[in-house]
Amino acid sequence: MQLIQEQKCFGGRQIRYQHDSNTLNCSMQFSVFLPPQAEQGAVPAVYWLSGLTCTDENFSAKAGAQRAAAELGLALIIPDTSPRGEGVADDVDGAYDLGLGAGFYVNATQAPWNHHYHMYDYVLSELPALVESELPLNGKRAISGHSMGGHGALVLALRNPERFVSVSAFAPISNPTDCPWGHKALGAYLGEDKAAWADYDASLLLKAKGCSLPVLVDQGEADNFLAEQLKPQALKAAAEESGADLELRLQPGYDHSYYFIASFIAEHLRFHARHLGA
């Protein structure tokens, strides 16, 4: 992996890398925050998955997560939200909710998306293997994300509880098989067989399988997408039915923006630090 940029930040290092991804068949960029404790030894990591239209830089610049991560001794691993580059398929109309910046953290099975759009495998396997071999990380992982990335974090953790110690999300797309964003993206990437969609629906997974991991979800009550797209009530009902350890916090007055994330990110990182042993 190739260093693109490095800056000092709260005694640690905010870094951006580029590498050639075999999983996505393109060059990818990702960001990392290494806390000052990484100078003395390996540290645990929180993987952050961003939402629609974002790159790896949005969270790094807007969330203010580095201060708490530095205090807690947590690395932050921040991938892009989709494959990119020449020859990578995009929505023909340039829509924000399909194609570039909208990988939905699935493994696409339908053309033309299936040549590049395997963000699920990238986040689950290729990226951790890369950073854990090249950076001072101890192999302990938690995962979090926002909106589309909250959906991705929940799905990855629910399907692979052995890979993570905890999971959290901000305003996740909780029930994508039953919302417009999910219908559009899952239909395009996975085809019209809705049985395949269920593997990427956190509410359905939680209802069917439960969850052995602690789960923290924050949702702003002033979020414009709350009723139509996000549907946290489906996630809550699934947790109650399966007995999963879900804490769903509805936050009055907060919307879908990075102001919301910045307001509660330190609490999420402390939540993960307790389970990571940091």
Side-chain angles (χ1 to χ4, degrees):
M1 63 191 194
Q2 178 184 355
L3 176 68
I4 299 176
Q5 185 180 36
E6 180 175 339
Q7 296 167 298
K8 193 78 171 180
C9 184
F10 292 106
R13 295 186 290 155
Q14 183 67 45
I15 316 167
R16 201 169 192 222
Y17 292 103
Q18 180 172 314
H19 76 111
D20 291 328
S21 169
N22 293 324
T23 301
L24 303 177
N25 295 306
C26 65
S27 178
M28 291 292 288
Q29 295 181 349
F30 64 93
S31 293
V32 173
F33 174 71
L34 289 177
Q37 294 87 338
E39 299 296 325
Q40 282 74 51
V43 297
V46 176
Y47 286 74
W48 173 268
L49 307 186
S50 294
L52 289 166
T53 76
C54 289
T55 70
D56 58 294
E57 293 187 292
N58 296 74
F59 180 77
S60 301
K62 295 180 179 181
Q66 293 91 343
R67 181 190 294 274
E71 293 172 356
L72 296 166
L74 299 176
L76 303 174
I77 312 298
I78 311 156
D80 202 346
T81 54
S82 77
R84 298 181 194 267
E86 186 177 354
V88 175
D90 193 13
D91 183 72
V92 293
D93 297 319
Y96 76 95
D97 53 358
L98 186 68
L100 301 185
F104 264 81
Y105 305 101
V106 304
N107 287 336
T109 59
Q110 305 299 301
W113 313 104
N114 56 347
H115 185 60
H116 295 285
Y117 284 73
H118 296 122
M119 289 297 296
Y120 179 91
D121 280 350
Y122 178 71
V123 174
L124 179 66
S125 300
E126 185 178 29
L127 184 60
L130 176 65
V131 296
E132 289 173 11
S133 67
E134 298 288 338
L135 299 174
L137 304 178
N138 64 13
K140 295 181 180 179
R141 312 175 200 93
I143 191 166
S144 184
H146 173 230
S147 194
M148 177 186 73
H151 140 77
L154 289 169
V155 167
L156 280 154
L158 290 171
R159 289 177 58 178
N160 306 277
E162 74 285 354
R163 299 279 290 173
F164 306 99
V165 302
S166 53
V167 56
S168 72
F170 292 80
I173 304 172
S174 297
N175 194 194
T177 61
D178 189 32
C179 77
W181 279 340
H183 281 198
K184 182 175 182 178
L186 299 180
Y189 296 141
L190 304 176
E192 295 305 315
D193 181 6
K194 293 186 178 180
W197 299 10
D199 285 339
Y200 297 100
D201 187 306
S203 294
L204 297 181
L205 289 168
L206 194 57
K207 180 178 179 180
K209 299 182 178 181
C211 182
S212 60
L213 304 179
V215 186
L216 172 63
V217 174
D218 272 315
Q219 173 62 62
E221 290 187 330
D223 192 319
N224 290 339
F225 303 113
L226 177 55
E228 183 180 33
Q229 303 283 14
L230 305 178
K231 300 181 181 291
Q233 69 278 6
L235 195 67
K236 181 180 180 180
E240 291 174 348
E241 185 168 338
S242 65
D245 181 13
L246 166 69
E247 182 179 6
L248 172 62
R249 309 190 305 187
L250 300 178
Q251 304 291 0
Y254 285 92
D255 62 13
H256 202 69
S257 72
Y258 264 88
Y259 295 113
F260 169 50
I261 298 170
S263 298
F264 298 101
I265 189 62
E267 294 181 26
H268 281 239
L269 293 180
R270 286 194 288 269
F271 164 78
H272 291 301
R274 291 194 298 272
H275 299 288
L276 287 163

